[in-house]
C-alpha cells in the first residue's frame, strides 16, 4: 500500500541512510512546560485515590514513628544520666513498639507504592495504545515506529520506576522535614534556628542544579527514541541492509546517535550525581553547628539528651533532603518521558465520524476532480476523475509511482483529499461512518499481514461473527482449505508473527480467504496474486471471479494477464488518468496500455 506514497516523498525509509523517519521524528519534538506536564500526570493519580490515601496514612505513621523515636532516645539518655533506671524500662519498651510499627508501615508503604505505580502505568499504557490505534495512517507513516515504541516502553517505564521508588520518598521526605522541624523547635528553638540555616543553601543548590539537569534528561530521552528507531528500522530491513552491503552505514548511523547519547547521558548523570555530594557538604555543615552547640549543655541551657536528639534530628533532617536530591534526576527523567507520552496523546485522532452508513449501499464509486499530496507541494493526484458502477470490475494499471495505490488509500479514508470529492452512491465518504465504510470494504494487500494467532482467528479478523461453516467455505473458495488441514492443528494451528511459519504463497492464500469471510460490498485487490506461482494464481483467479460477482471491485495490477477480463481498465501516469477502456479497445488504440502490454508480453521496450 505504501508504493505510491514512498515514491512521492522526499524522505524515504532506507536503512543506513540519513533523513529517515527517525530524524524526522526527532525534529517534531517540542518542549512542554514541566509544571503543566506534572499536573497532567497528577490526573492519573486522581484515579487511584483509595491507594494514595492508604499510602499517605502508612507514610504519616512511619514518619511520626521516625520523628518521635529520637525524642524517646533523648529521654532515655537523660534517665541514664540522672540514674532513673525505673523509668528507663518503660521508655525502652515504648521505643521497641515504635520501631516495630515503623517497620510494618515501611513494608506496607513499599507494597502500596508498587501497586500504585503499576496501576498508573497500566492506565497510561492503555491510553497511549488506544491513542496509537486510533491515530491516522498518515501520522504513523511519517513517524519512526521505533520512537513510538520507545515512548510506550522506555518512557512509561521511567514513570513507573519514579512512582514506585520516588513518590513515597517524596511524601515521607516532606513530612519528615516538617515533623523534624516541629520536634526541634519544641526541644530547643535556638538550636533549631541554628540547624535550619542550611535550608537556604539547600534550596539554592537544588533549584540551580535541577534546571541544568532537566535539559540534559529531556535530550537523553529524545536520543534514546532515535536510537530505538534506528534499531527497529535496521531489524525490519536487515535483508535489504545485507543485500546492499549497508552494514557500515547502519553502524555509523547507530554509533553517531549512540555517541551523542553517551555524551548527553554522562552530563546528565554527572549533574544528577552531584546533587548528593553537594547536599552532604551542606548537611555536614549542619552537623558542625550542632556539635558546637555542646557548649550550651555545659552551661546547662539544654540537657545532654537534647543534644543527642538534635544530632539524630540533624541527620534525619538531612536524610530526606539527600534522598530528594538523589531522586531528582529520576523525577526529571520521568517528567521528560511524560512530556513525550503526552506529545503523542495530544496528537489529533483520526476523524471517523459520519452520519451515513453503507448498509444499503450498492457500491457506485465516483472520484470527482480529486487533488492529493502526501507532502505539501508534492502533488500525487492531479484532477483525478473516475466512475465505478456497482458490480463493476475496474483495474488500475500504470508504472510505479503513477498513483494507483494512492487511489485505494483515499477510498479507505487512510488519508484525506486536498480538493474534490469521493462519493459512494452519491454520498461523500467524509459523511460515511469510517468504521462502517471499512467494514463494508475488504482489501487484500501485496504485503500480507497475518497475526500471531490461530488460523481461524486470522480469518475471523475481517468479520468476527462468521461461523465455522462460513470460514471453511471461504477457505475452500480461496483454495487453501487443504493446506490448512495439513497444518498440525488445522484451523486451530498457531501462526508465528507475520505468518513466518508459512510460505509467502500460503500467507497470500490466507489473506484472500480472509477477504472471502468479510463478504464485502467493495473489494480491493492490491497485487493480490503477485506472491504465488502461476498455477496457484490461476486457481485464485477462478475463486476471485466468483468473489467479485455482484460486488464493486478495484484491482491494482502490474501483471496485465490478471486483469484482461476487467470491465474497465484505467491507465494512470503521474497521478492522471491517461486512458480508459477494456482490454481489446485499449490494445487497438495503441496508447500507453499498449506500450505496457507489449513490454510484458512481446518482450520489447517501447
Amino acid at each position: 500500500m505504501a508504493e505510491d506514497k514512498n515514491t512521492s516523498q522526499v524522505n524515504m525509509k532506507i536503512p543506513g541512510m540519513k533523513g529517515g523517519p527517525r530524524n524526522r521524528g526527532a525534529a517534531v519534538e517540542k518542549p512542554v512546560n514541566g509544571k503543566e506536564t506534572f499536573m497532567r500526570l497528577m490526573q492519573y493519580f486522581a484515579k487511584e485515590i483509595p491507594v494514595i490515601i492508604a499510602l499517605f496514612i502508612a507514610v504519616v505513621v512511619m514518619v511520626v514513628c521516625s520523628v518521635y523515636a529520637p525524642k524517646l532516645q533523648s529521654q532515655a539518655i537523660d534517665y541514664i544520666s540522672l540514674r532513673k533506671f525505673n523509668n528507663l524500662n518503660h521508655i525502652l519498651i515504648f521505643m521497641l513498639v515504635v520501631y516495630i510499627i515503623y517497620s510494618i508501615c515501611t513494608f506496607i508503604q513499599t507494597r502500596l507504592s508498587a501497586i500504585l505505580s503499576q496501576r498508573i502505568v497500566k492506565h497510561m499504557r492503555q491510553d497511549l495504545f488506544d491513542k496509537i490505534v486510533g491515530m491516522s495512517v498518515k501520522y504513523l507513516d511519517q513517524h519512526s515506529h521505533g520512537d513510538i515504541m520507545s515512548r510506550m516502553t522506555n518512557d512509561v517505564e521511567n514513570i513507573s520506576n519514579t512512582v514506585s521508588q520516588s513518590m513515597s520518598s517524596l511524601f515521607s521526605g516532606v513530612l519528615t522535614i516538617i515533623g523534624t522541624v516541629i520536634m526541634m523547635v519544641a526541644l530547643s528553638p535556638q538550636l533549631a534556628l541554628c540547624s535550619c540555616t542550611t535550608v537556604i543553601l539547600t534550596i539554592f543548590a537544588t533549584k540551580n542544579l535541577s534546571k541544568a539537569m532537566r535539559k540534559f534528561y529531556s535530550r537523553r530521552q529524545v536520543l534514546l527514541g532515535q536510537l530505538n528507531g534506528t534499531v527497529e528500522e535496521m531489524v525490519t530491513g536487515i535483508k535489504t541492509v545485507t543485500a546492499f552491503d549497508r552494514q557500515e552505514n547502519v553502524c555509523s548511523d547507530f554509533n553517531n546517535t549512540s555517541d551523542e547519547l553517551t555524551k548527553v547521558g554522562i552530563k546528565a548523570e554527572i549533574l544528577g550525581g552531584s546533587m548528593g555530594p553537594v547536599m552532604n557538604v551542606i548537611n555536614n555543615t549542619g552537623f558542625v553547628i550542632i556539635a558546637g552547640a555542646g557548649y550550651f549543655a555545659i552551661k546547662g541551657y539544654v540537657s545532654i539528651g537534647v543534644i543527642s536528639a538534635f544530632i539524630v534530628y540533624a541527620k534525619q533532617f538531612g536524610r530526606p533532603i539527600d534522598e530528594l536530591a538523589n531522586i531528582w534526576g529520576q523525577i526529571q527523567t520521568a517528567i521528560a518521558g511524560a512530556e513525550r507520552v503526552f506529545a503523542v496523546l495530544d496528537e489529533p485522532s483520526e476523524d471517523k465520524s459520519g452520519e451515513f452508513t453503507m448498509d444499503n449501499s450498492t457500491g457506485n464509486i465516483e472520484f470527482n476532480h480529486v487533488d492529493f499530496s502526501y507532502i505539501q507541494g508534492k502533488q500525487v493526484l492531479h484532477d483525478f476523475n473516475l466512475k465505478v458502477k456497482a458490480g463493476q470490475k475496474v483495474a488500475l494499471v500504470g508504472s510505479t509511482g503513477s498513483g494507483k495505490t494512492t487511489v485505494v488509500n483515499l477510498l479507505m479514508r487512510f488519508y484525506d483529499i486536498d480538493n474534490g470529492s469521493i462519493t459512494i452512491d452519491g454520498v461523500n465518504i467524509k459523511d460515511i461512518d469510517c468504521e462502517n465504510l471499512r467494514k463494508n470494504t475488504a482489501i487484500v494487500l501485496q504485503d500480507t499481514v497475518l497475526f500471531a494467532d490461530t488460523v481461524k482467528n486470522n480469518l475471523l479478523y475481517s468479520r468476527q461473527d462468521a461461523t465455522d461453516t462460513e470460514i471453511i467455505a471461504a477457505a475452500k473458495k480461496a483454495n487453501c482449505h487443504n493446506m490448512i488441514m495439513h497444518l498440525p492443528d488445522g484451523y486451530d494451528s498457531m501462526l508465528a508473527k507475520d505468518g513466518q511459519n508459512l510460505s509467502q504463497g500460503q500467507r497470500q492464500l490466507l489473506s484472500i480467504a480472509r477477504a472471502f469471510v468479510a463478504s464485502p460490498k467493495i473489494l480491493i485487490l492490491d497485487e493480490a496474486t503477485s506472491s504465488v506461482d502461476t498455477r496457484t494464481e490461476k486457481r485464485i483467479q477462478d475463486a476471485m471471479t466468483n468473489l467479485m460477482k455482484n460486488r464493486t471491485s478495484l484491482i491494482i495490477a502490474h501483471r496485465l494477464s490478471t486483469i484482461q477480463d476487467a470491465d474497465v481498465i484505467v491507465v494512470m501516469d503521474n497521478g492522471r488518468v491517461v486512458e480508459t477502456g477494456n482490454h481489446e479497445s485499449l490494445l487497438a488504440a495503441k496508447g500507453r496500455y499498449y506500450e505496457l502490454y507489449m513490454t510484458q508480453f512481446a518482450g520489447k521496450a517501447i
Side-chain angles (χ1 to χ4, degrees), residues 242-257:
T242 304
F244 289 97
D245 195 27
R246 302 294 301 186
Q247 291 94 327
E248 291 186 6
N249 300 78
V250 171
C251 290
S252 177
D253 280 359
F254 180 87
N255 290 336
N256 289 338
T257 305

Side-chain angles (χ1 to χ4, degrees), residues 329-378:
Q330 189 175 2
I331 292 174
Q332 292 299 310
T333 300
I335 293 177
E339 287 179 353
R340 285 162 48 78
V341 171
F342 291 143
V344 176
L345 293 177
D346 289 339
E347 288 290 334
S349 298
E350 183 181 21
D351 182 12
K352 297 183 179 180
S353 60
E355 57 180 313
F356 297 98
T357 67
M358 291 181 58
D359 295 339
N360 298 317
S361 173
T362 58
N364 288 290
I365 304 171
E366 186 170 354
F367 289 75
N368 297 297
H369 305 288
V370 172
D371 293 329
F372 174 74
S373 56
Y374 290 104
I375 300 175
Q376 190 173 4
K378 303 289 183 178

Side-chain angles (χ1 to χ4, degrees), residues 358 360-364 389-391 424-425 521-522 550-552:
M358 291 181 58
N360 298 317
S361 173
T362 58
N364 288 290
K389 296 180 181 179
I424 297 179
D425 291 335
K521 290 181 168 61
I522 298 174
N550 302 318
R551 289 189 177 92
T552 304

Side-chain angles (χ1 to χ4, degrees), residues 257-276:
T257 305
S258 182
D259 289 344
E260 186 178 357
L261 177 61
T262 301
K263 293 176 183 178
V264 173
I266 289 173
K267 293 178 181 178
E269 292 302 326
I270 288 175
L271 286 172
S274 66
M275 292 288 282

Side-chain angles (χ1 to χ4, degrees), residues 111-401:
R111 289 285 304 272
L112 292 177
S113 294
I115 293 172
L116 179 63
S117 68
Q118 292 306 311
R119 287 185 179 179
I120 288 175
V121 166
K122 174 187 174 183
H123 293 314
M124 186 169 286
R125 280 205 175 108
Q126 284 178 338
D127 289 347
L128 187 57
F129 187 79
D130 291 345
K131 182 68 178 183
I132 292 172
V133 171
M135 296 180 85
S136 65
V137 174
K138 178 180 180 180
Y139 177 88
L140 297 175
D141 278 346
Q142 294 181 352
H143 290 77
S144 165
H145 294 173
D147 183 61
I148 295 175
M149 291 170 62
S150 177
R151 298 174 194 238
M152 173 71 76
T153 54
N154 294 336
D155 293 325
V156 175
E157 192 62 32
N158 284 333
I159 297 171
S160 172
N161 292 335
T162 300
V163 173
S164 63
Q165 300 174 15
S166 305
M167 292 306 298
S168 58
S169 297
L170 187 62
F171 278 158
S172 63
V174 172
L175 293 176
T176 299
I177 291 173
I178 295 173
T180 302
V181 170
I182 292 173
M183 294 300 296
M184 291 168 74
V185 171
L187 289 173
S188 175
Q190 295 84 358
L191 287 180
L193 182 62
C194 293
S195 301
C196 292
T197 54
T198 58
V199 174
I200 298 176
L201 292 175
T202 301
I203 294 174
F204 176 80
T206 303
K207 180 179 180 182
N208 286 277
L209 284 174
S210 63
K211 182 179 180 181
M213 288 165 55
R214 185 173 183 275
K215 178 179 70 175
F216 288 107
Y217 277 103
S218 296
R219 179 60 182 162
R220 186 173 70 173
Q221 291 304 109
V222 172
L223 290 172
L224 188 59
Q226 291 185 33
L227 204 66
N228 285 337
T230 302
V231 174
E232 186 266 345
E233 198 172 64
M234 185 277 296
V235 171
T236 55
I238 187 61
K239 291 182 180 178
T240 303
V241 173
T242 304
F244 289 97
D245 195 27
R246 302 294 301 186
Q247 291 94 327
E248 291 186 6
N249 300 78
V250 171
C251 290
S252 177
D253 280 359
F254 180 87
N255 290 336
N256 289 338
T257 305
S258 182
D259 289 344
E260 186 178 357
L261 177 61
T262 301
K263 293 176 183 178
V264 173
I266 289 173
K267 293 178 181 178
E269 292 302 326
I270 288 175
L271 286 172
S274 66
M275 292 288 282
V278 170
M279 293 302 107
N280 283 333
V281 170
I282 296 174
N283 292 333
N284 289 335
T285 302
F287 275 113
V288 173
I289 295 174
I290 297 299
Y295 172 79
F296 294 103
I298 297 175
K299 292 294 184 180
Y301 296 124
V302 292
S303 67
I304 296 175
V306 170
I307 293 295
S308 68
F310 260 84
I311 292 175
V312 176
Y313 280 131
K315 182 179 180 181
Q316 193 164 276
F317 182 78
R319 180 183 57 79
I321 295 179
D322 286 343
E323 288 181 353
L324 293 176
N326 290 328
I327 68 174
W328 192 251
Q330 189 175 2
I331 292 174
Q332 292 299 310
T333 300
I335 293 177
E339 287 179 353
R340 285 162 48 78
V341 171
F342 291 143
V344 176
L345 293 177
D346 289 339
E347 288 290 334
S349 298
E350 183 181 21
D351 182 12
K352 297 183 179 180
S353 60
E355 57 180 313
F356 297 98
T357 67
M358 291 181 58
D359 295 339
N360 298 317
S361 173
T362 58
N364 288 290
I365 304 171
E366 186 170 354
F367 289 75
N368 297 297
H369 305 288
V370 172
D371 293 329
F372 174 74
S373 56
Y374 290 104
I375 300 175
Q376 190 173 4
K378 303 289 183 178
Q379 195 164 337
V380 177
L381 294 184
H382 307 263
D383 193 30
F384 181 79
N385 293 277
L386 175 66
K387 290 184 179 181
V388 183
K389 296 180 181 179
Q392 258 189 339
K393 178 181 178 181
V394 176
L396 302 177
V397 300
S399 58
T400 299

Side-chain angles (χ1 to χ4, degrees), residues 455 459 471-487 491 505-514 516 536 539-540 543:
V455 172
L459 297 181
I471 292 173
I472 294 173
K476 289 180 177 179
K477 291 178 182 177
N479 294 312
C480 63
H481 174 70
N482 291 334
M483 178 268 291
I484 295 173
M485 296 308 296
H486 280 86
L487 295 175
Y491 285 86
Q506 289 173 324
R507 295 198 294 268
Q508 195 72 56
L509 287 170
L510 288 181
S511 180
I512 292 168
R514 185 165 56 193
F516 274 99
T536 304
R539 292 161 58 197
I540 293 175

